[in-house]
Coordinates of all heavy atoms in Angstrom, one line a residue:
K1 N 0.8 -1.2 0.0 CA 0.0 0.0 0.0 C 0.9 1.2 0.0 O 0.6 2.2 -0.7 CB -0.9 0.0 1.2 CG -2.3 0.1 0.9 CD -3.2 0.0 2.2 CE -4.6 0.3 1.8 NZ -5.4 0.3 3.0
H2 N 1.9 1.3 0.9 CA 2.7 2.4 1.0 C 3.4 2.8 -0.4 O 3.4 3.9 -0.8 CB 3.8 2.2 2.1 CG 4.8 3.3 2.2 ND1 4.5 4.4 2.9 CD2 6.0 3.4 1.7 CE1 5.6 5.2 2.9 NE2 6.5 4.6 2.2
T3 N 4.0 1.8 -1.0 CA 4.7 2.0 -2.3 C 3.8 2.4 -3.3 O 4.0 3.3 -4.1 CB 5.5 0.7 -2.7 OG1 6.4 0.3 -1.6 CG2 6.2 0.9 -4.0
R4 N 2.6 1.8 -3.4 CA 1.6 2.1 -4.4 C 1.2 3.6 -4.3 O 1.1 4.3 -5.3 CB 0.4 1.3 -4.3 CG -0.6 1.5 -5.4 CD -1.8 0.6 -5.4 NE -1.2 -0.7 -5.7 CZ -1.8 -1.9 -5.5 NH1 -3.0 -1.9 -5.0 NH2 -1.2 -3.0 -5.8
Y5 N 1.0 4.1 -3.1 CA 0.7 5.5 -2.8 C 1.7 6.4 -3.5 O 1.4 7.3 -4.2 CB 0.6 5.8 -1.3 CG 0.4 7.3 -1.1 CD1 -0.9 7.9 -1.1 CD2 1.5 8.1 -0.8 CE1 -1.0 9.2 -0.9 CE2 1.3 9.5 -0.6 CZ 0.1 10.0 -0.7 OH -0.1 11.4 -0.4
W6 N 3.0 6.2 -3.2 CA 4.0 7.1 -3.7 C 4.1 7.0 -5.2 O 4.3 8.0 -5.9 CB 5.4 6.7 -3.1 CG 5.4 7.2 -1.7 CD1 5.2 6.4 -0.5 CD2 5.6 8.5 -1.2 NE1 5.3 7.3 0.6 CE2 5.5 8.5 0.2 CE3 5.8 9.7 -1.9 CZ2 5.6 9.7 1.0 CZ3 5.9 10.9 -1.1 CH2 5.9 10.9 0.3
M7 N 3.9 5.8 -5.8 CA 4.0 5.6 -7.2 C 2.8 6.3 -7.9 O 3.0 6.8 -9.0 CB 3.9 4.1 -7.6 CG 5.1 3.3 -7.0 SD 6.7 3.8 -7.7 CE 6.7 2.8 -9.2
E8 N 1.7 6.4 -7.3 CA 0.5 7.0 -7.9 C 0.5 8.5 -7.7 O -0.1 9.2 -8.4 CB -0.8 6.4 -7.3 CG -1.0 5.0 -7.7 CD -2.2 4.3 -7.0 OE1 -2.7 4.9 -6.1 OE2 -2.5 3.2 -7.3
H9 N 1.1 9.0 -6.6 CA 1.1 10.5 -6.3 C 2.3 11.3 -6.7 O 2.3 12.5 -6.4 CB 0.7 10.6 -4.8 CG -0.7 10.2 -4.5 ND1 -1.0 8.9 -4.2 CD2 -1.8 10.9 -4.5 CE1 -2.3 8.8 -4.0 NE2 -2.8 10.0 -4.1
H10 N 3.3 10.6 -7.2 CA 4.5 11.4 -7.5 C 5.0 11.0 -8.9 O 5.1 9.8 -9.2 CB 5.6 11.1 -6.5 CG 5.3 11.7 -5.2 ND1 5.4 13.0 -4.8 CD2 4.8 11.0 -4.1 CE1 5.0 13.1 -3.6 NE2 4.6 12.0 -3.1
D11 N 5.3 12.0 -9.7 CA 5.8 11.7 -11.1 C 7.2 11.0 -11.0 O 7.9 11.0 -10.0 CB 6.0 13.0 -11.9 CG 4.7 13.7 -12.1 OD1 3.7 13.0 -12.2 OD2 4.7 15.0 -12.2
Y12 N 7.5 10.3 -12.1 CA 8.7 9.5 -12.2 C 10.0 10.3 -11.7 O 10.8 9.9 -11.0 CB 8.9 9.0 -13.6 CG 10.2 8.2 -13.8 CD1 10.4 6.9 -13.3 CD2 11.3 8.8 -14.4 CE1 11.5 6.2 -13.5 CE2 12.5 8.1 -14.5 CZ 12.6 6.9 -14.1 OH 13.8 6.2 -14.2
E13 N 10.1 11.6 -12.2 CA 11.2 12.4 -11.9 C 11.3 12.9 -10.5 O 12.3 13.4 -10.0 CB 11.4 13.6 -12.9 CG 10.2 14.6 -12.8 CD 9.0 14.3 -13.7 OE1 9.1 13.3 -14.4 OE2 8.1 15.0 -13.7
H14 N 10.2 12.7 -9.7 CA 10.2 13.1 -8.4 C 10.2 11.9 -7.4 O 9.8 12.1 -6.2 CB 8.9 14.0 -8.1 CG 9.0 15.2 -8.8 ND1 8.0 15.6 -9.7 CD2 9.9 16.2 -8.8 CE1 8.3 16.8 -10.2 NE2 9.5 17.2 -9.6
R15 N 10.6 10.8 -7.8 CA 10.8 9.6 -7.0 C 12.0 8.8 -7.3 O 12.5 8.9 -8.5 CB 9.6 8.8 -7.0 CG 9.3 8.1 -8.3 CD 8.0 7.2 -8.2 NE 7.9 6.5 -9.5 CZ 6.8 6.7 -10.2 NH1 5.8 7.4 -9.9 NH2 6.7 6.0 -11.4
L16 N 12.6 8.2 -6.3 CA 13.8 7.4 -6.5 C 13.6 6.1 -5.7 O 13.3 6.2 -4.5 CB 15.0 8.1 -6.0 CG 16.4 7.3 -6.1 CD1 16.7 7.1 -7.5 CD2 17.4 8.2 -5.4
V17 N 13.8 5.0 -6.4 CA 13.6 3.7 -5.7 C 15.1 3.1 -5.5 O 15.8 2.9 -6.5 CB 12.7 2.7 -6.4 CG1 12.7 1.4 -5.8 CG2 11.3 3.3 -6.6
L18 N 15.4 3.0 -4.2 CA 16.8 2.4 -3.9 C 16.5 1.1 -3.2 O 16.1 1.1 -2.0 CB 17.6 3.3 -3.0 CG 18.0 4.6 -3.6 CD1 18.7 5.5 -2.6 CD2 19.0 4.4 -4.8
P19 N 16.8 0.0 -3.8 CA 16.6 -1.3 -3.1 C 17.6 -1.4 -1.9 O 18.8 -1.1 -2.1 CB 17.0 -2.4 -4.1 CG 16.7 -1.7 -5.5 CD 17.1 -0.2 -5.2
Y20 N 17.1 -1.7 -0.8 CA 18.0 -1.8 0.4 C 19.1 -2.7 0.2 O 20.3 -2.4 0.6 CB 17.1 -2.3 1.6 CG 17.9 -2.5 2.9 CD1 18.3 -1.4 3.6 CD2 18.3 -3.7 3.3 CE1 19.1 -1.5 4.8 CE2 19.0 -3.9 4.5 CZ 19.4 -2.8 5.2 OH 20.1 -3.0 6.3
D21 N 18.9 -3.9 -0.5 CA 20.0 -4.8 -0.7 C 21.1 -4.2 -1.5 O 22.3 -4.5 -1.3 CB 19.4 -6.1 -1.4 CG 18.6 -6.9 -0.5 OD1 18.6 -6.7 0.7 OD2 17.8 -7.7 -1.1
Y22 N 20.8 -3.4 -2.5 CA 21.8 -2.7 -3.3 C 22.6 -1.7 -2.4 O 23.8 -1.5 -2.6 CB 21.2 -2.0 -4.5 CG 20.7 -2.8 -5.5 CD1 20.6 -4.2 -5.4 CD2 20.1 -2.3 -6.7 CE1 20.1 -5.0 -6.4 CE2 19.6 -3.1 -7.7 CZ 19.6 -4.4 -7.6 OH 19.1 -5.2 -8.6
L23 N 21.8 -1.0 -1.5 CA 22.5 0.1 -0.7 C 23.5 -0.5 0.3 O 24.4 0.2 0.6 CB 21.3 0.8 0.0 CG 21.7 2.1 0.6 CD1 22.3 3.1 -0.4 CD2 20.5 2.8 1.3
I24 N 23.3 -1.7 0.7 CA 24.2 -2.2 1.8 C 25.3 -3.1 1.2 O 26.2 -3.5 2.0 CB 23.4 -3.0 2.9 CG1 22.7 -4.2 2.3 CG2 22.4 -2.1 3.6 CD1 22.2 -5.2 3.3
Q25 N 25.4 -3.4 -0.1 CA 26.4 -4.1 -0.7 C 27.7 -3.3 -1.0 O 27.6 -2.2 -1.5 CB 25.9 -4.8 -2.0 CG 24.8 -5.8 -1.8 CD 25.2 -7.0 -0.9 OE1 26.3 -7.5 -1.1 NE2 24.4 -7.3 0.0
P26 N 28.8 -3.9 -0.6 CA 30.1 -3.1 -0.9 C 30.3 -2.7 -2.4 O 30.8 -1.6 -2.6 CB 31.2 -4.1 -0.4 CG 30.5 -4.9 0.6 CD 29.1 -5.1 0.1
G27 N 29.8 -3.5 -3.3 CA 30.0 -3.2 -4.7 C 29.1 -2.1 -5.2 O 29.5 -1.3 -6.0
S28 N 27.9 -2.1 -4.8 CA 26.8 -1.2 -5.3 C 26.5 -0.1 -4.3 O 25.9 0.9 -4.7 CB 25.6 -2.0 -5.7 OG 25.0 -2.7 -4.6
G29 N 26.7 -0.3 -3.0 CA 26.3 0.7 -2.0 C 26.7 2.1 -2.3 O 26.0 3.0 -2.3
P30 N 28.1 2.4 -2.5 CA 28.5 3.8 -2.7 C 27.9 4.4 -4.0 O 27.5 5.5 -4.0 CB 30.0 3.6 -2.9 CG 30.4 2.4 -2.1 CD 29.2 1.5 -2.3
T31 N 27.7 3.6 -5.0 CA 27.0 4.1 -6.2 C 25.6 4.5 -5.9 O 25.1 5.5 -6.4 CB 27.1 3.0 -7.3 OG1 28.4 2.7 -7.6 CG2 26.4 3.4 -8.6
E32 N 24.9 3.6 -5.2 CA 23.5 3.9 -4.8 C 23.4 5.2 -4.0 O 22.5 6.0 -4.1 CB 22.8 2.8 -4.1 CG 22.7 1.5 -4.9 CD 21.8 1.7 -6.2 OE1 20.7 2.2 -6.0 OE2 22.3 1.4 -7.3
L33 N 24.3 5.4 -3.1 CA 24.4 6.6 -2.3 C 24.6 7.8 -3.1 O 24.1 8.9 -2.9 CB 25.4 6.5 -1.2 CG 25.4 7.6 -0.1 CD1 24.1 7.7 0.6 CD2 26.5 7.3 0.9
R34 N 25.5 7.7 -4.1 CA 25.7 8.8 -5.1 C 24.4 9.1 -5.8 O 24.1 10.3 -6.0 CB 26.8 8.5 -6.1 CG 28.2 8.5 -5.5 CD 29.3 8.3 -6.6 NE 30.6 8.1 -5.9 CZ 31.0 6.9 -5.6 NH1 30.4 5.8 -5.8 NH2 32.2 6.8 -5.0
K35 N 23.7 8.1 -6.2 CA 22.4 8.4 -6.9 C 21.4 9.1 -6.0 O 20.7 10.0 -6.4 CB 21.7 7.0 -7.3 CG 22.4 6.3 -8.4 CD 21.6 5.0 -8.7 CE 22.3 4.1 -9.6 NZ 21.6 2.8 -9.8
L36 N 21.4 8.7 -4.7 CA 20.6 9.4 -3.7 C 21.0 10.9 -3.6 O 20.1 11.8 -3.6 CB 20.6 8.7 -2.4 CG 19.8 9.3 -1.3 CD1 18.3 9.4 -1.6 CD2 20.0 8.5 0.0
R37 N 22.2 11.1 -3.5 CA 22.7 12.5 -3.3 C 22.3 13.3 -4.6 O 21.8 14.4 -4.4 CB 24.2 12.5 -3.1 CG 24.8 13.9 -3.1 CD 26.3 13.9 -3.3 NE 26.8 15.2 -3.5 CZ 27.8 15.7 -2.8 NH1 28.4 15.0 -1.9 NH2 28.2 16.9 -3.1
T38 N 22.6 12.8 -5.7 CA 22.2 13.5 -6.9 C 20.7 13.8 -7.0 O 20.3 14.9 -7.4 CB 22.7 12.7 -8.2 OG1 24.1 12.5 -8.1 CG2 22.3 13.4 -9.5
F39 N 19.9 12.8 -6.7 CA 18.5 13.0 -6.7 C 18.0 14.1 -5.7 O 17.2 15.0 -6.0 CB 17.8 11.7 -6.3 CG 16.3 11.8 -6.2 CD1 15.5 11.8 -7.3 CD2 15.7 11.8 -5.0 CE1 14.1 11.9 -7.2 CE2 14.3 11.9 -4.8 CZ 13.5 11.9 -6.0
L40 N 18.6 14.1 -4.5 CA 18.3 15.1 -3.5 C 18.7 16.5 -3.9 O 18.0 17.4 -3.8 CB 18.9 14.7 -2.2 CG 18.2 13.5 -1.5 CD1 19.0 13.1 -0.2 CD2 16.8 13.7 -1.2
E41 N 19.9 16.6 -4.5 CA 20.4 17.8 -5.0 C 19.5 18.4 -6.1 O 19.2 19.6 -6.1 CB 21.9 17.7 -5.5 CG 22.8 17.6 -4.3 CD 24.3 17.6 -4.9 OE1 24.5 17.1 -5.9 OE2 25.1 18.0 -4.1
K42 N 19.0 17.6 -6.9 CA 18.2 18.0 -8.0 C 16.9 18.6 -7.4 O 16.4 19.6 -7.9 CB 17.9 16.8 -8.9 CG 17.0 17.2 -10.1 CD 16.8 16.0 -11.0 CE 15.9 15.0 -10.3 NZ 15.4 13.8 -11.1
G43 N 16.3 17.9 -6.5 CA 15.1 18.4 -5.8 C 15.3 19.7 -5.1 O 14.5 20.6 -5.0
Y44 N 16.5 19.8 -4.4 CA 16.8 21.0 -3.7 C 16.9 22.2 -4.6 O 16.5 23.3 -4.3 CB 18.1 20.9 -2.9 CG 18.0 20.0 -1.7 CD1 19.1 19.5 -1.2 CD2 16.8 19.8 -1.1 CE1 19.1 18.7 0.0 CE2 16.7 18.9 0.0 CZ 17.9 18.4 0.6 OH 17.8 17.6 1.6
G45 N 17.4 22.0 -5.8 CA 17.5 23.1 -6.8 C 16.2 23.7 -7.2 O 16.0 24.9 -7.4
D46 N 15.2 22.8 -7.2 CA 13.8 23.2 -7.5 C 13.2 24.1 -6.4 O 12.5 25.0 -6.6 CB 12.9 22.0 -7.8 CG 13.3 21.2 -9.0 OD1 14.1 21.8 -9.9 OD2 12.9 20.1 -9.2
A47 N 13.5 23.7 -5.2 CA 12.9 24.4 -4.0 C 13.6 25.7 -3.7 O 12.9 26.6 -3.3 CB 13.0 23.5 -2.8
G48 N 14.9 25.8 -4.0 CA 15.6 27.1 -3.8 C 15.9 27.3 -2.3 O 15.1 26.8 -1.4
G49 N 17.0 27.9 -2.0 CA 17.3 28.2 -0.6 C 17.8 27.1 0.2 O 18.1 27.3 1.4
V50 N 18.0 25.9 -0.3 CA 18.5 24.8 0.4 C 19.9 24.6 0.1 O 20.3 24.6 -1.1 CB 17.7 23.5 0.1 CG1 18.3 22.3 0.9 CG2 16.2 23.7 0.4
P51 N 20.8 24.6 1.0 CA 22.3 24.5 0.7 C 22.7 23.2 0.1 O 22.0 22.2 0.3 CB 22.9 24.7 2.1 CG 21.9 24.2 3.1 CD 20.5 24.6 2.5
E52 N 23.7 23.3 -0.7 CA 24.3 22.0 -1.3 C 24.9 21.2 -0.3 O 25.2 21.6 0.8 CB 25.3 22.4 -2.4 CG 24.8 23.1 -3.6 CD 25.9 23.4 -4.6 OE1 27.0 22.8 -4.5 OE2 25.6 24.3 -5.4
F53 N 25.1 19.9 -0.6 CA 25.8 19.0 0.4 C 27.2 19.5 0.6 O 27.9 19.9 -0.3 CB 25.7 17.6 -0.1 CG 24.4 17.0 -0.1 CD1 23.6 17.0 -1.2 CD2 23.9 16.4 1.1 CE1 22.3 16.5 -1.1 CE2 22.7 15.8 1.1 CZ 21.8 15.8 0.0
R54 N 27.7 19.4 1.8 CA 29.0 19.9 2.1 C 30.1 18.9 1.8 O 31.2 19.2 1.7 CB 29.0 20.3 3.6 CG 28.0 21.4 3.9 CD 28.3 21.9 5.3 NE 27.3 22.9 5.7 CZ 27.3 24.1 5.3 NH1 28.2 24.6 4.5 NH2 26.4 25.0 5.7
S55 N 29.7 17.6 1.7 CA 30.8 16.6 1.5 C 31.0 16.5 0.0 O 30.0 16.3 -0.8 CB 30.3 15.2 2.0 OG 30.2 15.3 3.4
P56 N 32.2 16.5 -0.5 CA 32.5 16.3 -1.9 C 32.0 15.0 -2.4 O 32.0 14.0 -1.6 CB 34.0 16.4 -2.1 CG 34.5 16.9 -0.7 CD 33.4 16.7 0.3
M57 N 31.6 14.8 -3.6 CA 31.1 13.6 -4.2 C 32.1 12.5 -4.1 O 31.8 11.3 -3.8 CB 30.8 13.8 -5.7 CG 30.1 12.6 -6.3 SD 28.5 12.2 -5.7 CE 27.4 13.2 -6.7
E58 N 33.4 12.8 -4.2 CA 34.4 11.7 -4.1 C 34.6 11.1 -2.7 O 35.2 10.1 -2.5 CB 35.8 12.2 -4.6 CG 36.4 13.4 -3.8 CD 36.0 14.7 -4.4 OE1 35.2 14.8 -5.3 OE2 36.6 15.7 -3.9
K59 N 34.0 11.8 -1.7 CA 34.0 11.2 -0.3 C 32.8 10.3 0.0 O 32.7 9.7 1.1 CB 33.9 12.4 0.7 CG 35.2 13.3 0.6 CD 36.4 12.6 1.2 CE 37.5 13.6 1.3 NZ 38.7 13.0 1.8
I60 N 31.9 10.2 -1.0 CA 30.7 9.3 -0.8 C 31.1 7.9 -0.3 O 30.5 7.3 0.6 CB 29.8 9.4 -2.0 CG1 29.2 10.7 -2.2 CG2 28.7 8.3 -1.9 CD1 28.2 11.2 -1.2
G61 N 32.1 7.3 -1.0 CA 32.5 6.0 -0.7 C 32.9 5.9 0.8 O 32.5 4.9 1.5
C62 N 33.6 6.8 1.3 CA 34.1 6.8 2.7 C 32.9 7.0 3.6 O 32.8 6.4 4.7 CB 35.1 8.0 2.9 SG 36.6 7.7 2.0
I63 N 32.0 7.9 3.3 CA 30.8 8.1 4.1 C 30.0 6.9 4.2 O 29.5 6.4 5.2 CB 30.0 9.3 3.5 CG1 30.8 10.6 3.7 CG2 28.6 9.4 4.2 CD1 30.2 11.8 2.9
W64 N 29.8 6.2 3.0 CA 29.0 5.0 2.9 C 29.7 3.9 3.8 O 29.0 3.2 4.6 CB 28.9 4.5 1.5 CG 28.3 3.1 1.4 CD1 26.9 2.9 1.3 CD2 28.9 1.9 1.5 NE1 26.7 1.6 1.2 CE2 27.9 0.9 1.4 CE3 30.2 1.4 1.6 CZ2 28.1 -0.5 1.4 CZ3 30.5 0.1 1.6 CH2 29.4 -0.8 1.5
D65 N 31.0 3.8 3.7 CA 31.7 2.8 4.5 C 31.5 3.0 6.0 O 31.3 2.1 6.8 CB 33.2 2.8 4.2 CG 34.0 1.7 4.9 OD1 33.7 0.5 4.7 OD2 34.8 2.1 5.7
F66 N 31.6 4.3 6.4 CA 31.5 4.6 7.8 C 30.1 4.3 8.4 O 29.9 3.8 9.4 CB 31.8 6.1 8.0 CG 31.7 6.5 9.5 CD1 32.7 6.2 10.4 CD2 30.5 7.2 10.0 CE1 32.6 6.6 11.7 CE2 30.4 7.5 11.3 CZ 31.5 7.3 12.2
I67 N 29.1 4.6 7.5 CA 27.7 4.4 8.0 C 27.3 2.9 7.9 O 26.7 2.4 8.9 CB 26.7 5.3 7.2 CG1 27.0 6.8 7.5 CG2 25.2 4.9 7.5 CD1 26.3 7.7 6.6
V68 N 27.5 2.3 6.8 CA 26.9 1.0 6.5 C 27.8 -0.1 7.1 O 27.3 -1.1 7.7 CB 26.7 0.8 5.0 CG1 26.2 -0.6 4.8 CG2 25.7 1.8 4.5
M69 N 29.1 0.1 7.0 CA 30.0 -1.0 7.4 C 30.6 -0.7 8.7 O 31.7 -1.1 9.1 CB 31.2 -1.1 6.3 CG 30.7 -1.4 4.9 SD 29.7 -2.9 4.8 CE 31.0 -4.1 4.9
K70 N 29.8 -0.1 9.6 CA 30.3 0.2 10.9 C 30.9 -1.0 11.6 O 30.2 -2.1 11.7 CB 29.2 0.8 11.8 CG 29.6 1.4 13.1 CD 28.5 2.2 13.7 CE 29.0 2.5 15.1 NZ 29.6 3.9 15.2
R71 N 32.0 -0.9 12.2 CA 32.7 -2.0 12.8 C 32.8 -1.7 14.3 O 32.6 -0.6 14.8 CB 34.1 -2.1 12.3 CG 34.1 -2.5 10.8 CD 35.5 -2.4 10.2 NE 36.0 -1.0 10.2 CZ 35.7 -0.1 9.2 NH1 34.9 -0.4 8.2 NH2 36.2 1.1 9.2
E72 N 33.0 -2.8 15.1 CA 33.1 -2.7 16.5 C 34.2 -1.7 17.0 O 34.0 -1.1 18.1 CB 33.3 -4.0 17.2 CG 32.1 -4.9 17.1 CD 32.3 -6.3 17.7 OE1 33.1 -6.3 18.7 OE2 31.7 -7.3 17.3
D73 N 35.2 -1.6 16.2 CA 36.3 -0.8 16.7 C 36.2 0.7 16.3 O 37.1 1.5 16.7 CB 37.7 -1.3 16.2 CG 37.8 -1.3 14.6 OD1 36.8 -1.0 14.0 OD2 38.9 -1.6 14.2
Q74 N 35.2 1.1 15.6 CA 35.0 2.5 15.2 C 34.8 3.3 16.5 O 34.1 2.9 17.4 CB 33.8 2.7 14.3 CG 34.2 2.4 12.9 CD 33.1 2.7 11.9 OE1 31.9 2.6 12.3 NE2 33.4 3.1 10.7
G75 N 35.4 4.5 16.5 CA 35.3 5.4 17.6 C 36.3 5.0 18.8 O 36.2 5.6 19.9
T76 N 37.1 4.0 18.6 CA 38.1 3.6 19.6 C 39.5 4.0 19.1 O 39.7 4.5 18.0 CB 38.0 2.1 19.9 OG1 38.5 1.4 18.8 CG2 36.6 1.7 20.2
D77 N 40.5 3.7 19.9 CA 41.9 3.9 19.5 C 42.3 3.0 18.3 O 43.2 3.4 17.6 CB 42.9 3.6 20.7 CG 42.7 4.6 21.8 OD1 42.2 5.8 21.5 OD2 43.1 4.4 22.9
R78 N 41.6 1.9 18.1 CA 41.9 1.0 17.0 C 41.2 1.4 15.8 O 41.7 1.0 14.7 CB 41.5 -0.4 17.4 CG 42.3 -1.0 18.6 CD 41.9 -2.4 18.9 NE 40.4 -2.4 19.0 CZ 39.7 -3.5 19.0 NH1 40.2 -4.7 19.0 NH2 38.3 -3.4 19.1
G79 N 40.1 2.0 15.8 CA 39.3 2.3 14.6 C 39.4 3.6 14.0 O 39.8 4.6 14.4

């Protein structure tokens, strides 16, 4: 029901479907995160007044790794 609502009420160019499985995979995750960033930036441009993302596009892989691949040693002297 939830997905159908969004598909019926938003035009193709105003929606982005990111499969969770793709987002968490090391091979496709950073690419999917780049797609999300590009999609959000495009929408922000239409709204006006919303600042651009502060992280450079080339840092997306590092950001993805930090968020998705969080390890037990992160935030410690070892991580």
Side-chain angles (χ1 to χ4, degrees):
K1 236 178 174 181
H2 176 80
T3 303
R4 184 173 294 164
Y5 171 84
W6 287 101
M7 299 296 276
E8 292 172 353
H9 290 86
H10 296 280
D11 296 331
Y12 177 79
E13 63 272 1
H14 294 123
R15 65 177 183 243
L16 175 66
V17 177
L18 291 175
Y20 177 76
D21 291 340
Y22 291 2
L23 194 56
I24 63 167
Q25 293 300 315
S28 59
T31 300
E32 295 299 307
L33 189 56
R34 285 184 192 93
K35 288 180 190 177
L36 176 59
R37 176 196 169 132
T38 301
F39 177 78
L40 292 173
E41 284 182 330
K42 181 177 68 169
Y44 286 160
D46 295 343
V50 178
E52 293 181 17
F53 289 95
R54 298 191 185 280
S55 298
M57 187 65 90
E58 61 269 10
K59 297 286 185 180
I60 293 290
C62 295
I63 293 168
W64 175 88
D65 183 64
F66 181 79
I67 294 170
V68 177
M69 302 304 287
K70 188 168 174 97
R71 295 170 296 276
E72 288 183 27
D73 65 351
Q74 279 182 328
T76 69
D77 291 339
R78 296 179 311 167

